Amino acid sequence: CNAAKPSSSSSVPSSKSPGANLVMNFPWSREVEQHLKDSFHLSKFRPLQLRAINLTMTGKDLFLVMPTGRGKSLCYQLPAVCSKGFTLVVTPLVSLMEDQIMYLKSIEVSAVMLNASSSKDHAKTVMAGITDPKGPFKLVYVTPEKIAKSKLLMSRLEKAYNANLLSRIAVDEVHCCSQWGHDFRPDYKLLGILKRQFSKVPLLGLTATATSSVLKDCEEILCVPKPITLTASFNRTNLYYEVRIKDSDNDASISDIASLVKSRYKDQSGIVYVFSQKDAESVAAELQKRDILAYPYHANMDPDDKSQVHRRWTSNKIQVVVATVAFGMGIDKPNVRFVIHHTISKSIENYYQESGRAGRDDRPADCIVYFGFADIFRISTMVVMENVGQQKLLQMVDYCQNVDRCRRSLMAVHFDEVWDNEGCSQMCDTCRHSKDYTTMDITQHAREVVQIVELATSMDEKLTPLKLVEAWMGKGPAKRRKMIQTTTLPRRQAEAVVVRLLLQGYLREDFSFTPYTTYFYMKLGRKVPLLKSQTHTLNMKMRTTGTGAAVVISLTSSSSSDVWLMFLSSMSL
Ligand code: ADP
Ligand code: MG
């Protein structure tokens, strides 16, 4: 393998691509279909699964990019069962291995694993089985460390290869190869040895998160010069996306959540994601007070309590888990009907992952996020030290506030995909209520806000976002009220205007650290000079009817300097 050699992969996103006509007329087709039903107890394939299976059964090297929970494992487990010999599966985490082995045992597929904690006896059995022509195992799971460090394993694999017993190599979470990916594992770098030693064995790399540059890196590291790449759409068409405005009064949002859980989601299973461990405890307690079987889950709980909550929720004995993001790994419950975010996520990618735990059974499910003004700055504090943390948070805020575009299309940008409004089929609140929005001119409001910030700056005063809104609403000291133009807008709209000005670059955040906390202040943004021009106008879109009282506001600008503005706004996020 020449790692520096340029290699090209063919991407296969549409049904007209190579492999699309590989349907059910192969020598293995009947067996594949039978095992799907009889061994795996599944009624039909999900998009791309059959195509991936046929390609790997044909002996092609393949990269499969598919969102989490869509069923990548089946694409090597089913071929393993239908092939002679065994499939070698490289997995980064022992816990993932254990989950799979447990599952495969339950459906009577013979699978074993080798990792650092395997006993000598167990390792001996596995090593013997690998070269046994009777083929006692269909799948052998190993950690990348084993491939990199165990000479004995490599020599056994060599023997199996020469005896045609090594039928396929699956590298799960293949993005771990690349330093540019988010989960780099040094031992993945050494996996190129597999294809160098066992060149005739097809390799299948699987991941949910890979850009084309990461995949290119993986190709070179794994020494698979021209893999076919199958990419499934990240658009989850059965999920309904909705944003609700969260009042500064926390009780109101909890009551709202409770009434949803008790009416729309009666007897149905769901998750409420919260910001902190303290919130997990308090929101769960509040929901319990309202007769809902809700339990907290966070990293600081006793491991036994955590697994008990997980187990009881999985078996429908608990209706709601109120969790921090610690509730994520290994959750594979198919019938989750709602994922409610009591607080926004810190990025759209995180939101997609967290909300994506809804509706894995392909039936309709809801993803609702409560968008609160103060929460933006709570999360800012948390991400302030992260590299592009602030920028990612503002993208999430934009997702919540922007009603000019379908929520799906706002998400799609982050997966290098284009999902247009048609791909949504009214499965988001913006598309469903598109007739309920009107546009209003808020130029004057923007000038008032900017004037307050200017005044504070001139007096060398620091204005927190909350203070800014309150001053504008006339809640500041009487002396100050005389100096500024206060507003009659209701609080929600006042907050929405401030957020939008922040997103569009008329305001910006500044912060200062104390040993205990980080404070956020509002400063003038770089677009402020545009407001001085009499021809410059700002419009916002507002929801005028409908439930949820979600006054959702969106802002557009127009003026003689429109082109300049478009340039600036493209830089603002
Ligand atoms: P991934 O590795 O892509 O995150 P998994 O392979 O762990 O996903 O599969 C997630 C869940 O989807 C599993 O519970 C699996 O049984 C289920 N699943 C896979 N394929 C199908 C299918 N064709 N129909 C229904 N459920 C499926
Ligand atoms: Mg997986």
Side-chain angles (χ1 to χ4, degrees):
C1 157
N2 175 3
K5 196 172 65 187
S7 57
S8 66
S9 66
S10 41
S11 193
V12 189
S14 80
S15 59
K16 294 197 188 74
S17 317
N21 53 354
L22 303 178
V23 195
M24 289 309 284
N25 46 4
F26 290 96
W28 54 80
S29 294
R30 187 187 291 267
E31 202 186 349
V32 162
E33 184 77 1
Q34 199 139 25
H35 277 297
L36 177 77
K37 301 208 158 89
D38 299 345
S39 304
F40 290 86
H41 311 292
L42 297 170
S43 55
K44 59 180 192 319
F45 287 108
R46 283 186 173 150
L48 289 191
Q49 283 181 323
L50 181 57
R51 212 188 312 171
I53 288 169
N54 284 334
L55 284 165
T56 186
M57 292 290 285
T58 314
K60 301 267 193 280
D61 291 327
L62 179 69
F63 281 174
L64 179 61
V65 186
M66 207 185 246
T68 309
R70 297 308 291 156
K72 288 185 285 296
S73 328
L74 188 75
C75 302
Y76 57 83
Q77 288 168 345
L78 187 44
V81 176
C82 299
S83 303
K84 187 171 164 272
F86 67 95
T87 293
L88 180 74
V89 187
V90 183
T91 308
L93 292 177
V94 175
S95 62
L96 291 177
M97 244 180 230
E98 287 169 344
D99 280 355
Q100 294 223 355
I101 303 265
M102 208 164 73
Y103 164 70
L104 290 168
K105 284 221 164 102
S106 77
I107 60 166
E108 293 174 0
V109 171
S110 62
V112 282
M113 61 178 172
L114 261 188
N115 55 49
S117 52
S118 301
S119 71
K120 273 206 172 118
D121 275 356
H122 179 73
K124 223 170 167 178
T125 316
V126 175
M127 297 292 187
I130 284 179
T131 49
D132 184 344
K134 288 204 266 340
F137 314 129
K138 285 284 121 195
L139 295 116
V140 178
Y141 285 78
V142 297
T143 47
E145 292 77 6
K146 278 279 159 201
I147 301 287
K149 300 198 178 103
S150 169
K151 287 209 175 79
L152 178 61
L153 175 63
M154 278 312 285
S155 79
R156 287 291 163 155
L157 288 173
E158 185 83 53
K159 207 165 160 201
Y161 175 66
N162 291 330
N164 290 328
L165 292 171
L166 178 56
S167 64
R168 188 163 291 101
I169 299 166
V171 180
D172 208 357
E173 314 293 347
V174 73
H175 61 276
C176 295
C177 286
S178 170
Q179 298 197 48
W180 316 118
H182 56 87
D183 247 347
F184 175 59
R185 310 257 160 163
D187 284 313
Y188 265 72
K189 273 255 183 227
L190 305 171
L191 293 180
I193 193 172
L194 291 171
K195 211 48 197 179
R196 285 197 300 272
Q197 303 280 94
F198 316 127
S199 57
K200 283 184 270 167
V201 177
L203 184 144
L204 174 56
L206 309 108
T207 179
T209 47
T211 58
S212 50
S213 58
V214 167
L215 285 181
K216 192 109 201 136
D217 218 13
C218 298
E219 269 175 41
E220 284 166 10
I221 289 161
L222 292 176
C223 301
V224 275
K226 279 183 186 156
I228 293 174
T229 302
L230 289 185
T231 307
S233 171
F234 277 65
N235 185 359
R236 302 277 312 277
T237 48
N238 61 319
L239 300 186
Y240 179 73
Y241 293 100
E242 179 179 347
V243 178
R244 292 187 175 217
I245 304 298
K246 183 178 178 181
D247 270 326
S248 43
D249 166 16
N250 192 34
D251 270 358
S253 59
I254 297 201
S255 297
D256 205 36
I257 293 172
S259 77
L260 278 174
V261 172
K262 289 170 83 166
S263 53
R264 197 194 289 180
Y265 309 121
K266 188 171 183 299
D267 301 327
Q268 294 179 337
S269 201
I271 306 173
V272 174
Y273 275 109
V274 293
F275 173 69
S276 65
Q277 299 180 355
K278 200 163 141 257
D279 286 359
E281 303 278 350
S282 66
V283 173
E286 287 297 325
L287 294 179
Q288 280 177 11
K289 265 196 224 158
R290 292 163 170 88
D291 298 324
I292 293 167
L293 277 174
Y295 286 83
Y297 186 108
H298 56 75
N300 209 17
M301 275 163 54
D302 184 89
D304 288 345
D305 290 345
K306 276 198 292 200
S307 65
Q308 200 192 15
V309 170
H310 187 178
R311 233 185 9 256
R312 293 186 64 212
W313 177 73
T314 307
S315 56
N316 299 321
K317 295 199 174 70
I318 287 176
Q319 188 185 5
V320 185
V321 180
V322 183
T324 61
V325 291
F327 193 60
M329 263 293 213
I331 298 174
D332 185 27
K333 186 169 160 64
N335 59 344
V336 178
R337 295 275 69 82
F338 61 94
V339 173
I340 296 176
H341 276 71
H342 175 256
T343 306
I344 58 171
S345 304
K346 64 177 188 170
S347 71
I348 290 190
E349 289 89 337
N350 283 53
Y351 183 64
Y352 177 84
Q353 286 293 340
E354 290 150 21
S355 62
R357 295 188 178 115
R360 291 211 171 154
D361 54 5
D362 300 332
R363 292 180 46 229
D366 294 342
C367 307
I368 301 176
V369 50
Y370 281 81
F371 172 47
F373 183 70
D375 287 341
I376 303 171
F377 308 99
R378 284 217 288 170
I379 299 178
S380 266
T381 316
M382 185 174 77
V383 300
V384 74
M385 299 307 282
E386 290 173 21
N387 201 1
V388 282
Q390 216 67 14
Q391 188 187 338
K392 283 178 176 282
L393 173 60
L394 287 183
Q395 287 165 349
M396 179 71 208
V397 172
D398 184 57
Y399 166 85
C400 293
Q401 216 192 32
N402 193 335
V403 290
D404 280 333
R405 286 173 62 190
C406 161
R407 306 253 186 233
R408 279 193 156 65
S409 71
L410 288 165
M411 235 182 240
V413 178
H414 298 273
F415 299 100
D416 292 338
E417 285 187 43
V418 179
W419 309 335
D420 51 22
N421 296 17
E422 277 163 39
C424 183
S425 308
Q426 306 234 322
M427 283 294 278
C428 82
D429 54 348
T430 313
C431 290
R432 193 170 289 182
H433 300 289
S434 58
K435 290 194 186 72
D436 302 340
Y437 297 111
T438 49
T439 300
M440 73 183 216
D441 185 331
I442 58 139
T443 319
Q444 206 44 44
H445 296 304
R447 291 198 176 115
E448 289 170 12
V449 172
V450 163
Q451 187 220 349
I452 298 170
V453 181
E454 273 171 345
L455 183 70
T457 311
S458 71
M459 295 163 75
D460 221 11
E461 257 185 42
K462 289 180 166 173
L463 268 182
T464 63
L466 186 72
K467 283 259 171 60
L468 171 61
V469 171
E470 296 202 326
W472 188 28
M473 293 181 71
K475 294 189 176 152
K479 174 172 80 160
R480 180 77 47 76
R481 261 177 277 153
K482 287 201 198 103
M483 298 162 73
I484 59 174
Q485 184 64 49
T486 58
T487 186
T488 51
L489 284 178
R491 185 170 196 115
R492 279 183 175 197
Q493 291 186 23
E495 289 176 347
V497 170
V498 169
V499 170
R500 207 60 198 175
L501 293 175
L502 176 66
L503 286 172
Q504 298 272 311
Y506 293 90
L507 294 177
R508 67 181 172 88
E509 279 174 295
D510 191 18
F511 44 86
S512 69
F513 299 103
T514 74
Y516 310 103
T517 188
T518 310
Y519 290 101
F520 281 89
Y521 304 105
M522 290 313 220
K523 287 266 178 87
L524 296 175
R526 64 183 181 286
K527 284 198 206 165
V528 161
L530 293 175
L531 281 174
K532 306 283 178 208
S533 148
Q534 286 312 307
T535 55
H536 188 71
T537 56
L538 296 176
N539 293 322
M540 75 183 178
K541 227 181 189 181
M542 182 164 46
R543 173 109 174 250
T544 46
T545 56
T547 54
V551 181
V552 190
I553 291 170
S554 136
L555 200 75
T556 51
S557 346
S558 68
S559 75
S560 50
S561 50
D562 249 2
V563 176
W564 173 235
L565 239 177
M566 276 162 67
F567 171 69
L568 284 175
S569 60
S570 68
M571 293 177 64
S572 71
L573 283 180

